[in-house]
Amino acid sequence: MQLPGTPSDEVADVLAAGRGDITTMFVSMARRHPDGLDAEYLRWHTLDHRPEQHRLSAVRASLRLVSTPACRAARACTDERFDAIDHVMTYFFADRRGLKGFNELSTALGDAGRKLPLLPPVQRGVYTVATKMAAPRIKIGGDVLPWWPARGVYVVLETNAPAHNDLIDVDGVAGIWSATSHSAHTELANAPAGQTLSYLFLDDDPVSTGARLRAPLAKRWGDGVEPLFAAPFHPVVPHEWDRYVP
């Protein structure tokens, strides 16, 4: 159903009311649970660990994504360094300095016996948000996409890449955020400088949308952009812990 009115990004008074204060993304990409307990891990993380992070004023939003066998089959690109990724957890920060409190809270929760062993990491990165855009048909502005109830997210990891302006018109792509890693933060993360991470927020099935993205992504990479990873993911559905698992 078409929503009414003029898209926010075309209304000066809406934009003047606030552009959001997210500047930084902490992204943890991990393997599936070594004992097949992915659903149990998602239950703990979603009911306990993830909401606790929002007591930190610097944490503005969070997003947990899961790959399924169908998602894996629909990947457009995967470097051997990233092939094992089945879980992606993102925290959106207003300020990079908030990572200190984030780390301290994690320690405090661990000392209280409130942490499970983490999923085996593939890569963690600290990224600076570079571009935000929303498809006009969804009405909301690009600034608020982390709070929008996406049906899925297509994750693209590239090296020193330009913005994905050409993908915003693909059917099923509702908006795009891109961010860049500037340096490795050894205390929390190990992603090298120069990686570009893009989240394509979807309002259609992620696997179906992934099929439509193959051709424009191939053209983009043929024009000189180096791909590292490109894959559809489902968001975790609360209290349906085994609905989307690797």
Side-chain angles (χ1 to χ4, degrees), residues 33-73:
H33 194 284
D35 299 317
L37 302 177
D38 298 85
E40 290 82 350
Y41 185 91
L42 294 174
R43 176 182 181 275
W44 162 75
H45 194 275
T46 306
L47 293 179
D48 184 351
H49 193 74
R50 180 177 166 188
E52 284 287 358
Q53 310 311 307
H54 288 270
R55 67 173 63 251
L56 302 171
S57 60
V59 175
R60 298 290 288 111
S62 59
L63 177 66
R64 175 140 220 138
L65 304 172
V66 183
S67 179
T68 65
C71 288
R72 269 192 160 272

Side-chain angles (χ1 to χ4, degrees), residues 8-9 12 14-22 132 141-144 147 177:
S8 291
D9 287 337
V14 172
L15 299 179
R19 298 302 307 268
D21 58 357
I22 294 173
K132 300 178 287 186
D143 295 312
V144 299
W147 295 275
W177 273 39

